[in-house]
Amino acid sequence: MKRCWKVFALWLWLWLVQVNSEDSCTSNLNLKNKPLFDTSSFHCVSVWDAQGYILRYLQTDRKVWSFLLSAPNSNSFIGMGFSRDGKMVGSSAIVGWVSNDGSSTMKRYFLGGQSPAEVVPDQGNLDLMNMTSSIIAENSRIYMAFQLNTEITPTNRLIYSLGPIGRLPSPINYQLSQHRAHISTFLDYNSGESKSKTPHANLRRTHGLLNMFSWGILIPIGVMVARYMRQYDPIWFYSHTTIQSLGFLLGFAGIVCGFVLEDGLSAHVDRHKALGIFILVLACLQVIAFLVRPGKESKVRKYWNWYHYTLGRVLILLAAGNIFYGIHLGDAGTSWNVGFAVTLVAFFSIASILELRMWMTK
């Protein structure tokens, strides 16, 4: 009985610790170490549910906007950026962290590019008011409080970031490591409504669907038609050329969308881009090979067949790999990976059955 009470008491203590460590807009902010300005009447909004980010803000003077960002203390830096277009590149940010020795640091940064070397400390267009900024570590959370001196309303396109665990900026140069997560949002300062914004979401989806449907689905179907439907001559030939032509055109459109998307996002996806261009080159060589194919009675026809078959299979393998890589780069989620993987497994199963049937009928 005593042991049960001890277990219950331990569970209750852990539950109380967890409750006290949580922060929400439905509960009053009760910190032992208070920010250097009053936050009691601030607007409160959950701006990044996945990472537990909560923002409190208010225009506290004619030229002063005050902010208090709350996030779990995971031995990482937290950042809040102000962007003109929702992109990280070109924006200015406030970044804060608490070191292992308990000391806290908050600095301004200008995000001049995507590499750590292009994120410059003590730069940017944010004018912080003197002697009002503070970092508070309490109840397993970090509270980053600061005030902006500005005559206009701050931009409503806000960006939040979370640094890698255990890799805090060095006091030597304060260079930031690559963040492990970030989100772009839109904040209505009047209503307090915050919405996450995925830049060029429709173009991303179009790029992914076009390339997946063309290189990943149509082209393999066209290959299977050519290999396993030869008995239906000439239907197999016209079906093969029609499917492959449609796949090529849709794939070309998908790659064009990729170039536009890269420019719009200022993204560095050189490997994905290079693979896409190489796949397009292979497809163009297949088109050229089709236009100059020798007759069936020609002595070089068998070499042309080897070339055509080999190039086609290399194209399919590279395209499948690049599609998975693109899903990873776009952070599209598990559903895209699972959906495409199931499609490939289905193709492989059907091809295996047809291949076995073809060898048995020889």
Side-chain angles (χ1 to χ4, degrees):
M1 188 68 179
K2 291 182 178 180
R3 184 176 181 181
C4 294
W5 276 109
K6 288 181 180 179
V7 172
F8 175 76
L10 178 60
W11 175 85
L12 181 62
W13 179 79
L14 291 173
W15 180 79
L16 289 173
V17 169
Q18 181 179 4
V19 169
N20 290 332
S21 67
E22 291 180 352
D23 185 17
S24 70
C25 291
T26 59
S27 61
N28 295 326
L29 184 64
N30 187 19
L31 298 175
K32 296 179 182 178
N33 299 310
K34 302 291 184 182
L36 300 179
F37 49 85
D38 184 22
T39 62
S40 58
S41 59
F42 277 25
H43 301 294
C44 181
V45 57
S46 178
V47 292
W48 194 4
D49 291 334
Q51 300 296 340
Y53 276 46
I54 293 175
L55 179 66
R56 293 173 172 87
Y57 67 92
L58 188 69
Q59 184 178 10
T60 50
D61 202 345
R62 188 174 66 88
K63 295 183 179 180
V64 178
W65 279 83
S66 303
F67 297 89
L68 176 63
L69 180 64
S70 165
N73 188 354
S74 59
N75 194 24
S76 310
F77 68 76
I78 62 172
M80 177 178 174
F82 296 79
S83 174
R84 293 174 297 178
D85 52 11
K87 302 176 184 178
M88 295 195 73
V89 177
S91 62
S92 298
I94 305 296
V95 180
W97 61 91
V98 176
S99 302
N100 295 327
D101 59 4
S103 61
S104 59
T105 306
M106 181 191 302
K107 296 190 77 67
R108 296 181 302 132
Y109 284 87
F110 174 69
L111 311 181
Q114 292 190 334
S115 66
E118 296 174 296
V119 179
V120 187
D122 300 318
Q123 298 294 326
N125 57 12
L126 299 178
D127 185 9
L128 288 175
M129 293 195 64
N130 294 327
M131 308 302 292
T132 62
S133 301
S134 62
I135 294 282
I136 301 170
E138 193 171 310
N139 296 331
S140 300
R141 293 184 69 87
I142 296 179
Y143 297 84
M144 185 170 70
F146 60 93
Q147 292 182 309
L148 296 182
N149 188 4
T150 175
E151 296 183 357
I152 60 175
T153 302
T155 174
N156 49 23
R157 295 184 177 272
L158 303 179
I159 299 171
Y160 305 94
S161 63
L162 178 63
I165 297 176
R167 296 177 60 185
L168 300 176
S170 169
I172 298 176
N173 54 15
Y174 292 104
Q175 182 174 323
L176 296 180
S177 302
Q178 179 72 29
H179 55 259
R180 59 183 162 107
H182 77 282
I183 191 172
S184 178
T185 66
F186 181 92
L187 175 64
D188 187 330
Y189 287 102
N190 294 322
S191 67
E193 183 179 9
S194 178
K195 297 181 180 179
S196 61
K197 293 285 185 178
T198 303
H200 305 288
N202 291 332
L203 186 58
R204 286 181 183 221
R205 191 176 298 108
T206 301
H207 169 67
L209 287 174
L210 282 174
N211 285 291
M212 183 180 294
F213 185 65
S214 58
W215 308 116
I217 296 178
L218 284 179
I219 297 298
I221 290 176
V223 170
M224 292 168 65
V225 167
R227 180 162 180 80
Y228 303 118
M229 304 300 170
R230 289 295 184 100
Q231 65 271 29
Y232 304 110
D233 193 37
I235 296 177
W236 76 265
F237 176 76
Y238 294 117
S239 299
H240 172 70
T241 54
T242 301
I243 293 172
Q244 301 304 71
S245 298
L246 180 60
F248 175 79
L249 293 174
L250 292 178
F252 181 79
I255 290 177
V256 171
C257 288
F259 282 114
V260 176
L261 186 61
E262 180 196 28
D263 182 66
L265 295 175
S266 299
H268 297 285
V269 290
D270 294 340
R271 189 175 302 173
H272 182 60
K273 177 181 176 181
L275 281 172
I277 293 174
F278 185 61
I279 290 167
L280 181 61
V281 170
L282 292 181
C284 291
L285 291 175
Q286 289 287 65
V287 173
I288 296 172
F290 171 75
L291 296 176
V292 299
R293 72 188 187 282
K296 293 181 180 180
E297 295 78 15
S298 174
K299 294 181 179 180
V300 298
R301 179 62 181 244
K302 67 175 182 179
Y303 302 108
W304 182 91
N305 287 336
W306 292 344
Y307 163 84
H308 187 59
Y309 299 162
T310 303
L311 214 62
R313 283 154 178 76
V314 170
L315 187 155
I316 291 174
L317 290 175
L318 289 177
N322 206 29
I323 288 171
F324 279 119
Y325 187 42
I327 293 172
H328 166 72
L329 291 175
D331 197 20
T334 306
S335 59
W336 283 71
N337 279 315
V338 171
F340 187 55
V342 168
T343 302
L344 292 184
V345 170
F347 282 163
F348 180 78
S349 301
I350 294 172
S352 299
I353 295 172
L354 294 175
E355 189 75 20
L356 180 62
R357 179 185 175 186
M358 185 179 69
W359 281 98
M360 291 178 63
T361 57
K362 281 187 175 180

